[in-house]
Amino acid sequence: KSPDHPVAAIQDTETPEQRDARMAWWREARFGMFIHWGLYSIPAGTWNGKQIPGIGEWIMNTASIPVADYKALAPKFNPTGFNAHDIVALAKAAGMKYIVITSKHHDGFAMYDSKANDFNIAAGTPFKRDPIKELAEECKKQGIKLGFYYSQDQDWTAPGGAALKTGDHQPPTYHWDKAQDGNFQQYLETKAIPQLKELLANYGDYPAVIWFDTPTPDMTPQLAAEIVTVLNQYPKLIWNNRLGGGYKGDTETPEQFIPAQGYPGRDWESCMTMNDTWGYKSYDKNFKSTETLLRNLIDIASKGGNYLLNIGPDSHGVVPPEEVVRLHQVGKWLDVNGEAIYGTQPTLFGAEAGSFSDTEKDKDGKPKFIPAWDWRSTTKADKVYVEIFKWPHGTFHLDKMPRKVTGAYLLADSAHKPLKFNQSGDRVDVQLPANGLDPIATVLVLEAAK
Ligand code: FHN
């Protein structure tokens, strides 16, 4: 318990062994599905006939929509196309090992059956179902973890929840309607904490993760401690670094980027969109290519992190087809090459990995260092994987190999036909076939025990 933590969190009290046990499934997972889904999928980026710039789930804020007008979306929300089985199956087909869904975003609308507040999908819509419950049941059936995103700090429809004057990343427009007047502590104690208690208690084995968002100065250490007291009752729970009040949580959460060196000594997860919005926007078609998504996953794994990749279902509960296609393509690659991603350790070659050119010299006349965006590497106790993006002609060479190589083959070659290689000191040269086995990334396996 540090002086600015009125209540010690689990991370402060557990032993390193307990922590490893608690984080084990998450560290193994490497790839998860983020789902941003809520009322904002109805306007889908357009309000009063105008296309509203920015991310879709922020439309209430960006367009300064009055609370009453925004709340009037609820009776129109009837996402009968939502199918928990299909979404969980999609995550599994993509090779994802966990799902994190918005149980309540900044708009304050709960996507589950909440008794603590009636602005929710079960009480306020013709749909009347509880998608979080349906997902929890499916995740259990299909054997995948489920976590809940919860916007603890911002709530634009609850009095006191939008009282912030400062934020760390969005324009300082946090309060635009008298209906938002109120006291932050009161909002926390009458809505956020009761809802967190419901979410933690009512969904069987889940949540495996609580994903907090957007800490602001309003979340003082004292107020955050009230939440930590609740979290402490769930000793298996993993929660991120966005609670606020100085609590570090379990995971770093770089958003929309991959940290150059990862976060050595910390668990971390890059969350990213597939297009330019988290919540569905009907006209945002700026989807990243499957190649980019896969490179991101590999790059993140090589630095010891997880990739939390977002989908944004529409107002019918349907996942945009562009997202489905890409997820299936990533999953096809993982079906063959997943061994090089799941449960791996970071690269042995440094985040700036590369090799020294045989032909080019640097300014001192030494072999020029070629950074390895052409390839990445992941590690297990007995193997080193090299995910090669740009297929080299002839031999592939690695410098600074700290282990003795005893064999080499391509992971996608089901016969594991041995490749010729030569190791001299810490340099390894492997003779590759003329072509790779995958247009995006072919994995070279080096048998090399610690
Ligand atoms: O403001 C939110 C945003 O809408 C989205 O939910 C992302 C996801 O990480 N988090 C916040 C911005 O940091």
Side-chain angles (χ1 to χ4, degrees):
K1 187 172 117 173
S2 71
D4 50 354
H5 287 182
V7 172
I10 186 155
Q11 299 87 2
D12 303 319
T13 54
E14 69 194 336
T15 64
E17 294 72 29
Q18 287 170 325
R19 182 177 175 78
D20 288 346
R22 192 164 60 84
M23 296 303 296
W25 73 263
W26 192 94
R27 290 175 182 162
E28 171 89 23
R30 288 287 173 259
F31 193 25
M33 174 184 273
F34 215 177
I35 306 179
H36 275 68
W37 188 41
L39 281 185
Y40 39 80
S41 61
I42 299 178
T46 301
W47 193 255
N48 286 338
K50 274 219 302 256
Q51 293 196 347
I52 306 299
I55 41 183
E57 71 284 5
W58 270 72
I59 192 166
M60 180 183 177
N61 179 300
T62 315
S64 299
I65 300 172
V67 170
D69 295 359
Y70 192 85
K71 283 193 160 181
L73 290 171
K76 296 186 191 143
F77 195 41
N78 196 16
T80 49
F82 171 77
N83 182 316
H85 172 273
D86 291 356
I87 291 194
V88 176
L90 175 63
K92 288 198 72 175
M96 292 159 152
K97 304 295 187 188
Y98 61 109
I99 295 176
V100 177
I101 181 164
T102 47
S103 61
K104 184 202 82 169
H105 203 263
H106 307 336
D107 64 354
F109 182 72
M111 289 294 285
Y112 72 97
D113 184 4
S114 173
K115 304 296 178 227
N117 186 286
D118 62 7
F119 188 43
N120 72 70
I121 191 163
T125 73
F127 189 55
K128 291 197 170 69
R129 283 158 49 185
D130 181 339
I132 300 286
K133 179 159 178 267
E134 293 175 21
L135 274 174
E137 285 166 3
E138 270 304 324
C139 282
K140 188 168 173 147
K141 244 191 240 161
Q142 298 192 43
I144 153 170
K145 301 274 184 189
L146 178 65
F148 303 153
Y149 167 111
Y150 188 86
S151 176
Q152 80 289 2
D153 205 333
Q154 292 194 63
D155 188 317
W156 302 325
T157 49
L164 305 165
K165 294 284 185 286
T166 55
D168 60 354
H169 67 105
Q170 297 285 349
T173 320
Y174 287 86
H175 195 191
W176 56 93
D177 183 338
K178 275 197 85 54
Q180 295 167 321
D181 287 356
N183 174 283
F184 182 67
Q185 177 166 2
Q186 224 166 26
Y187 145 72
L188 263 191
E189 289 171 358
T190 59
K191 185 169 178 183
I193 292 176
Q195 286 200 326
L196 280 165
K197 285 184 180 165
E198 291 178 329
L199 286 165
L200 285 161
N202 295 347
Y203 294 92
D205 294 349
Y206 305 124
V209 172
I210 289 276
W211 213 98
F212 293 112
D213 205 1
T214 330
T216 69
D218 279 17
M219 186 67 81
T220 60
Q222 287 70 25
L223 293 177
E226 293 186 30
I227 293 179
V228 168
T229 305
V230 177
L231 304 178
N232 280 347
Q233 290 164 35
Y234 297 87
K236 288 190 180 161
L237 190 69
I238 293 171
W239 46 282
N240 68 0
N241 66 342
R242 297 191 183 194
L243 170 61
Y247 284 96
K248 284 208 156 98
D250 293 304
T251 56
E252 296 297 314
T253 52
E255 182 168 323
Q256 302 284 37
F257 73 97
I258 302 171
Q261 308 290 334
Y263 292 88
R266 280 284 281 170
D267 291 298
W268 64 277
E269 176 189 63
S270 276
C271 55
M272 290 195 200
T273 50
M274 274 201 232
N275 49 359
D276 294 323
T277 182
W278 303 91
Y280 180 71
K281 259 185 118 169
S282 62
Y283 50 89
D284 182 342
K285 300 289 176 195
N286 192 25
F287 289 98
K288 296 175 184 79
S289 65
T290 301
E291 176 167 11
T292 298
L293 301 176
L294 206 43
R295 278 190 175 222
N296 286 347
L297 173 63
I298 293 167
D299 190 25
I300 289 168
S302 80
K303 294 166 180 169
N306 284 7
Y307 190 26
L308 187 63
L309 181 59
N310 185 69
I311 62 167
D314 68 15
S315 63
H316 306 289
V318 173
V319 183
E322 296 89 343
E323 298 177 352
V324 174
V325 168
R326 284 161 176 76
L327 291 181
H328 279 290
Q329 288 168 341
V330 172
K332 252 181 97 185
W333 186 89
L334 281 166
D335 279 346
V336 176
N337 298 293
E339 183 194 312
I341 300 295
Y342 305 120
T344 53
Q345 298 294 314
T347 177
L348 298 176
F349 307 101
E352 292 299 316
S355 56
F356 293 95
S357 169
D358 287 329
T359 49
E360 293 175 74
K361 307 272 187 234
D362 66 15
K363 60 177 177 15
D364 303 320
K366 301 222 175 86
K368 189 173 168 199
F369 184 72
I370 313 287
W373 189 228
D374 290 347
W375 57 271
R376 284 290 186 243
S377 177
T378 47
T379 315
K380 282 190 183 159
D382 57 346
K383 290 191 181 101
V384 169
Y385 302 94
V386 184
E387 297 86 8
I388 303 177
F389 303 122
K390 198 172 144 208
W391 198 249
H393 299 290
T395 59
F396 176 80
H397 91 253
L398 261 177
D399 299 296
K400 307 224 157 115
M401 171 56 135
R403 299 184 184 175
K404 185 170 163 39
V405 178
T406 53
Y409 59 89
L410 300 183
L411 191 51
D413 166 19
S414 53
H416 288 185
K417 184 169 161 285
L419 301 175
K420 289 208 174 101
F421 67 93
N422 179 56
Q423 183 164 24
S424 153
D426 63 3
R427 172 172 173 144
V428 181
D429 289 87
V430 184
Q431 273 181 39
L432 295 179
N435 298 304
L437 300 180
D438 185 282
I440 298 178
T442 299
V443 180
L444 167 66
V445 184
L446 299 175
E447 291 170 309
K450 255 198 236 184

Coordinates of all heavy atoms in Angstrom, one line a residue, residues 54-103:
G54 N -14.8 12.4 -36.3 CA -14.3 11.7 -35.1 C -14.8 10.3 -35.0 O -15.5 9.8 -35.8
I55 N -14.5 9.7 -33.8 CA -14.9 8.3 -33.6 C -16.4 8.2 -33.3 O -16.9 9.0 -32.6 CB -14.0 7.7 -32.5 CG1 -13.7 8.6 -31.3 CG2 -12.6 7.3 -33.1 CD1 -12.8 8.1 -30.2
G56 N -17.0 7.1 -33.8 CA -18.4 7.0 -33.8 C -19.0 7.0 -32.4 O -20.1 7.5 -32.2
E57 N -18.4 6.3 -31.4 CA -18.9 6.2 -30.1 C -18.9 7.5 -29.3 O -19.5 7.6 -28.2 CB -18.3 5.1 -29.3 CG -16.8 5.3 -28.8 CD -15.8 5.2 -29.9 OE1 -16.2 5.0 -31.1 OE2 -14.6 5.3 -29.6
W58 N -18.2 8.5 -29.9 CA -18.1 9.8 -29.3 C -19.2 10.8 -29.8 O -19.2 12.0 -29.5 CB -16.7 10.4 -29.4 CG -15.8 10.1 -28.3 CD1 -15.3 8.8 -28.1 CD2 -15.4 10.9 -27.3 NE1 -14.5 8.9 -26.9 CE2 -14.5 10.2 -26.4 CE3 -15.5 12.3 -27.0 CZ2 -13.9 10.7 -25.3 CZ3 -14.9 12.8 -25.8 CH2 -14.1 12.0 -25.0
I59 N -20.1 10.3 -30.6 CA -21.0 11.2 -31.4 C -21.8 12.1 -30.4 O -22.0 13.3 -30.7 CB -21.9 10.5 -32.4 CG1 -22.6 11.5 -33.3 CG2 -22.9 9.6 -31.6 CD1 -23.2 10.8 -34.5
M60 N -22.2 11.6 -29.3 CA -23.0 12.4 -28.3 C -22.2 13.6 -27.9 O -22.7 14.7 -27.8 CB -23.4 11.5 -27.1 CG -24.2 12.4 -26.1 SD -24.6 11.4 -24.7 CE -25.5 12.7 -23.8
N61 N -20.9 13.4 -27.6 CA -20.1 14.5 -27.2 C -19.7 15.4 -28.3 O -19.9 16.6 -28.2 CB -18.8 13.9 -26.6 CG -17.8 14.9 -26.1 OD1 -17.3 15.7 -26.9 ND2 -17.5 14.9 -24.8
T62 N -19.3 14.8 -29.4 CA -18.8 15.6 -30.5 C -19.9 16.5 -31.1 O -19.6 17.7 -31.5 CB -18.2 14.7 -31.7 OG1 -17.4 13.7 -31.0 CG2 -17.3 15.5 -32.6
A63 N -21.1 16.0 -31.2 CA -22.2 16.8 -31.7 C -23.0 17.5 -30.6 O -24.0 18.0 -30.9 CB -23.1 15.9 -32.6
S64 N -22.5 17.4 -29.4 CA -23.2 18.0 -28.2 C -24.6 17.7 -28.2 O -25.5 18.6 -28.1 CB -23.0 19.6 -28.2 OG -21.6 19.9 -28.2
I65 N -24.9 16.4 -28.3 CA -26.3 16.0 -28.3 C -26.9 16.1 -26.9 O -26.3 15.6 -26.0 CB -26.4 14.5 -28.9 CG1 -25.9 14.5 -30.3 CG2 -27.9 14.0 -28.8 CD1 -25.7 13.0 -30.8
P66 N -28.1 16.8 -26.8 CA -28.6 16.8 -25.4 C -29.0 15.5 -24.9 O -29.3 14.5 -25.6 CB -29.9 17.7 -25.7 CG -29.7 18.4 -27.0 CD -28.8 17.5 -27.8
V67 N -28.9 15.4 -23.6 CA -29.1 14.1 -22.9 C -30.5 13.4 -23.3 O -30.5 12.3 -23.7 CB -29.0 14.2 -21.4 CG1 -29.5 13.0 -20.6 CG2 -27.6 14.6 -20.9
A68 N -31.5 14.3 -23.3 CA -32.9 13.7 -23.6 C -32.9 13.2 -25.0 O -33.5 12.1 -25.3 CB -33.9 14.8 -23.4
D69 N -32.3 13.9 -26.0 CA -32.3 13.4 -27.4 C -31.5 12.1 -27.5 O -31.9 11.2 -28.2 CB -31.7 14.5 -28.3 CG -32.5 15.7 -28.3 OD1 -33.5 15.8 -27.7 OD2 -32.1 16.7 -29.0
Y70 N -30.4 12.0 -26.8 CA -29.6 10.8 -26.9 C -30.3 9.6 -26.3 O -30.4 8.5 -26.8 CB -28.2 11.0 -26.2 CG -27.3 9.9 -26.6 CD1 -26.5 9.9 -27.8 CD2 -27.1 8.8 -25.8 CE1 -25.7 8.9 -28.1 CE2 -26.3 7.7 -26.1 CZ -25.5 7.8 -27.3 OH -24.7 6.7 -27.6
K71 N -30.9 9.9 -25.1 CA -31.7 8.8 -24.5 C -32.8 8.3 -25.3 O -33.2 7.1 -25.2 CB -32.2 9.3 -23.1 CG -31.1 9.4 -22.0 CD -31.7 9.5 -20.6 CE -30.7 9.1 -19.6 NZ -31.2 9.2 -18.2
A72 N -33.3 9.2 -26.2 CA -34.4 8.8 -27.0 C -34.0 7.8 -28.1 O -34.9 7.2 -28.8 CB -35.0 10.0 -27.7
L73 N -32.7 7.5 -28.2 CA -32.3 6.4 -29.1 C -32.7 5.0 -28.6 O -32.9 4.1 -29.3 CB -30.8 6.5 -29.3 CG -30.2 7.7 -30.1 CD1 -28.7 7.7 -30.0 CD2 -30.7 7.6 -31.6
A74 N -32.7 4.9 -27.2 CA -32.9 3.6 -26.6 C -34.2 2.9 -27.1 O -34.1 1.7 -27.5 CB -32.9 3.7 -25.1
P75 N -35.3 3.5 -27.1 CA -36.5 2.8 -27.6 C -36.4 2.4 -29.1 O -37.3 1.6 -29.6 CB -37.7 3.9 -27.4 CG -37.1 5.0 -26.6 CD -35.6 4.9 -26.7
K76 N -35.4 3.0 -29.8 CA -35.3 2.6 -31.2 C -34.3 1.4 -31.4 O -34.0 1.0 -32.5 CB -34.8 3.8 -32.0 CG -35.7 4.9 -32.1 CD -35.2 6.0 -33.0 CE -36.0 7.3 -32.9 NZ -35.2 8.5 -33.0
F77 N -33.7 1.0 -30.3 CA -32.6 0.0 -30.4 C -33.1 -1.4 -30.4 O -33.6 -1.8 -29.3 CB -31.6 0.3 -29.3 CG -30.2 -0.4 -29.4 CD1 -29.6 -0.4 -30.7 CD2 -29.6 -1.0 -28.3 CE1 -28.3 -1.0 -30.8 CE2 -28.4 -1.6 -28.5 CZ -27.7 -1.6 -29.7
N78 N -33.1 -2.1 -31.5 CA -33.6 -3.4 -31.5 C -32.7 -4.3 -32.4 O -33.1 -4.7 -33.5 CB -35.1 -3.4 -32.1 CG -35.8 -4.7 -31.8 OD1 -35.4 -5.5 -30.9 ND2 -36.9 -5.0 -32.5
P79 N -31.5 -4.6 -31.8 CA -30.5 -5.3 -32.6 C -30.8 -6.8 -32.8 O -30.0 -7.6 -32.3 CB -29.2 -5.0 -31.9 CG -29.7 -4.9 -30.4 CD -31.1 -4.3 -30.5
T80 N -31.8 -7.2 -33.5 CA -32.2 -8.6 -33.5 C -31.2 -9.4 -34.3 O -31.3 -10.7 -34.3 CB -33.6 -8.7 -34.1 OG1 -33.6 -7.9 -35.4 CG2 -34.7 -8.2 -33.2
G81 N -30.3 -8.8 -35.0 CA -29.3 -9.6 -35.7 C -28.1 -10.0 -34.8 O -27.2 -10.7 -35.3
F82 N -28.2 -9.6 -33.6 CA -27.1 -10.0 -32.6 C -27.2 -11.4 -32.3 O -28.2 -12.0 -32.0 CB -27.2 -9.2 -31.3 CG -26.3 -9.7 -30.3 CD1 -24.9 -9.3 -30.3 CD2 -26.7 -10.5 -29.2 CE1 -24.0 -9.8 -29.3 CE2 -25.8 -10.9 -28.2 CZ -24.5 -10.6 -28.3
N83 N -26.0 -12.1 -32.5 CA -26.0 -13.5 -32.2 C -24.7 -13.9 -31.5 O -23.6 -13.9 -32.1 CB -26.1 -14.3 -33.6 CG -26.1 -15.8 -33.4 OD1 -25.4 -16.3 -32.6 ND2 -27.0 -16.4 -34.1
A84 N -24.8 -14.1 -30.2 CA -23.7 -14.3 -29.4 C -22.8 -15.5 -29.9 O -21.6 -15.5 -29.9 CB -24.1 -14.5 -27.9
H85 N -23.5 -16.6 -30.3 CA -22.8 -17.7 -30.8 C -21.9 -17.3 -32.0 O -20.7 -17.7 -32.0 CB -23.8 -18.8 -31.2 CG -23.1 -20.0 -31.9 ND1 -22.8 -19.9 -33.3 CD2 -22.5 -21.1 -31.4 CE1 -22.2 -21.0 -33.6 NE2 -22.0 -21.8 -32.5
D86 N -22.5 -16.6 -32.9 CA -21.7 -16.2 -34.1 C -20.5 -15.3 -33.8 O -19.4 -15.4 -34.4 CB -22.6 -15.5 -35.1 CG -23.6 -16.5 -35.7 OD1 -23.5 -17.7 -35.4 OD2 -24.4 -16.1 -36.5
I87 N -20.7 -14.4 -32.8 CA -19.6 -13.5 -32.5 C -18.5 -14.3 -31.8 O -17.3 -14.1 -32.1 CB -20.1 -12.3 -31.6 CG1 -21.0 -11.4 -32.5 CG2 -18.9 -11.5 -31.0 CD1 -21.3 -10.1 -32.0
V88 N -18.8 -15.1 -30.9 CA -17.8 -15.9 -30.2 C -17.1 -16.8 -31.2 O -15.9 -17.0 -31.2 CB -18.4 -16.7 -29.0 CG1 -17.3 -17.6 -28.4 CG2 -19.0 -15.8 -28.0
A89 N -17.9 -17.4 -32.1 CA -17.3 -18.3 -33.1 C -16.4 -17.5 -34.0 O -15.4 -18.0 -34.5 CB -18.4 -19.0 -33.9
L90 N -16.8 -16.3 -34.3 CA -15.9 -15.4 -35.2 C -14.6 -15.1 -34.4 O -13.5 -15.2 -35.1 CB -16.6 -14.1 -35.5 CG -15.8 -13.0 -36.2 CD1 -15.4 -13.5 -37.6 CD2 -16.6 -11.7 -36.3
A91 N -14.6 -14.8 -33.2 CA -13.4 -14.6 -32.4 C -12.5 -15.8 -32.4 O -11.3 -15.7 -32.7 CB -13.8 -14.2 -31.0
K92 N -13.2 -17.0 -32.3 CA -12.4 -18.2 -32.3 C -11.8 -18.5 -33.6 O -10.6 -18.9 -33.8 CB -13.3 -19.4 -31.8 CG -13.6 -19.3 -30.3 CD -14.0 -20.6 -29.8 CE -12.9 -21.6 -29.7 NZ -13.3 -22.9 -29.1
A93 N -12.6 -18.3 -34.7 CA -12.1 -18.5 -36.0 C -10.9 -17.6 -36.3 O -10.0 -17.9 -37.1 CB -13.2 -18.3 -37.1
A94 N -10.9 -16.4 -35.7 CA -9.8 -15.4 -35.9 C -8.6 -15.8 -35.1 O -7.5 -15.2 -35.3 CB -10.3 -14.0 -35.5
G95 N -8.7 -16.8 -34.2 CA -7.6 -17.2 -33.4 C -7.5 -16.4 -32.1 O -6.5 -16.4 -31.5
M96 N -8.6 -15.7 -31.8 CA -8.6 -14.8 -30.6 C -8.9 -15.7 -29.4 O -9.7 -16.6 -29.5 CB -9.6 -13.7 -30.8 CG -9.1 -12.7 -31.8 SD -10.5 -11.7 -32.4 CE -9.7 -10.2 -33.0
K97 N -8.3 -15.3 -28.3 CA -8.4 -16.2 -27.1 C -9.3 -15.5 -26.0 O -9.5 -16.0 -25.0 CB -7.1 -16.5 -26.5 CG -6.1 -17.2 -27.4 CD -6.7 -18.6 -27.8 CE -5.6 -19.3 -28.7 NZ -6.2 -20.6 -29.2
Y98 N -9.7 -14.2 -26.2 CA -10.5 -13.6 -25.3 C -11.3 -12.4 -26.0 O -10.9 -12.0 -27.1 CB -9.8 -13.1 -24.1 CG -8.7 -12.0 -24.3 CD1 -8.8 -10.7 -23.9 CD2 -7.5 -12.4 -24.9 CE1 -7.8 -9.8 -24.1 CE2 -6.5 -11.5 -25.0 CZ -6.6 -10.2 -24.6 OH -5.6 -9.3 -24.8
I99 N -12.4 -12.0 -25.3 CA -13.2 -10.9 -25.8 C -13.3 -9.9 -24.7 O -13.5 -10.3 -23.6 CB -14.6 -11.5 -26.2 CG1 -14.5 -12.5 -27.4 CG2 -15.6 -10.3 -26.6 CD1 -15.8 -13.1 -27.8
V100 N -13.3 -8.6 -25.1 CA -13.6 -7.6 -24.1 C -14.7 -6.7 -24.8 O -14.5 -6.1 -25.8 CB -12.4 -6.7 -23.8 CG1 -12.7 -5.6 -22.9 CG2 -11.2 -7.6 -23.2
I101 N -15.9 -6.6 -24.2 CA -17.0 -5.9 -24.7 C -17.3 -4.7 -23.9 O -17.3 -4.8 -22.6 CB -18.2 -6.8 -25.0 CG1 -19.3 -6.0 -25.7 CG2 -18.7 -7.5 -23.7 CD1 -20.4 -6.8 -26.3
T102 N -17.8 -3.6 -24.5 CA -18.2 -2.4 -23.8 C -19.5 -2.8 -23.0 O -20.6 -2.9 -23.7 CB -18.5 -1.3 -24.8 OG1 -19.3 -1.8 -25.9 CG2 -17.3 -0.7 -25.3
S103 N -19.4 -2.9 -21.7 CA -20.7 -3.1 -21.0 C -21.4 -1.8 -20.7 O -22.6 -1.7 -20.6 CB -20.3 -3.8 -19.6 OG -19.5 -3.0 -18.8

